[in-house]
Structure formats: C-alpha cells, structure tokens
Amino acid sequence: GGIEAATAMATFFFVLHGAGWAYGEPMARTDVRYLQATTACLAAVIVVQIVNVFLCRSTTRSAWSVGLLGNRLILWGVVLEVALILAICYTA
C-alpha cells in the first residue's frame, strides 16, 4: 500500500511539475494540468495493481516460477484494466 501511494503521488507531482506547475501555485479543478496529473495518478495506481497481482499469485512459489500465462482470469482482469487506462487517457 505504501509503495502504491508513493508511486501514485510521485506520478501526480511529476506530471504537474512537467507541465510547469510550481509548489504553492493555486490551481482550479478544471485546469488541464490538474486533470492530466489526476489521470496519470489513476493510471499509476492501476499499473501498480497489475504488478501486484502478478507478484502475489502464489503464497508458496516465487513470481518467476508461477509463469505469466497460467491464470486466464488474471489475464482478463489485466486486459480490462489496461482498457480502462486507455479509455480514461483518451477521454481526459
């Protein structure tokens, strides 16, 4: 959870900083920079969740010994999450 939160917040501020925002500068909720940063933050959460699901597939075996294509439900879930990321990014 801590790694996920740190990744999401780092992504949020990285995008804001890259768009020219300075710390302390007020920003409206409709500002394009804010909308891009929140979209990137959500995308980061989804990507970290995808990594997490692949790392936690077995309690007794390592992530590398389980194989990537062993569970079709996980693969369908990942496909749906990636579709969600693309839908959000292209509508934002």
Side-chain angles (χ1 to χ4, degrees), residues 13-21 33 36:
F13 286 110
F14 178 78
V15 170
L16 278 182
H17 179 69
W21 178 78
R33 299 175 297 177
Q36 289 174 341

Side-chain angles (χ1 to χ4, degrees):
I3 292 171
E4 184 177 324
T7 302
M9 292 308 296
T11 302
F12 180 81
F13 286 110
F14 178 78
V15 170
L16 278 182
H17 179 69
W21 178 78
Y23 183 76
E25 178 185 337
M27 187 176 304
R29 291 183 186 192
T30 57
D31 191 324
V32 172
R33 299 175 297 177
Y34 176 75
L35 296 174
Q36 289 174 341
T38 55
T39 301
C41 182
L42 175 62
V45 169
I46 293 171
V47 168
V48 172
Q49 285 292 311
I50 290 171
V51 171
N52 188 41
V53 78
F54 279 109
L55 292 176
C56 297
R57 287 177 293 156
S58 174
T59 58
T60 58
R61 295 171 53 196
S62 75
W64 306 115
S65 68
V66 175
L68 290 175
L69 305 176
N71 189 329
R72 290 181 188 230
L73 288 176
I74 288 177
L75 294 176
W76 277 109
V78 169
V79 167
L80 290 173
E81 282 188 312
V82 170
L84 175 66
I85 290 174
L86 293 175
I88 289 172
C89 288
Y90 287 113
T91 59

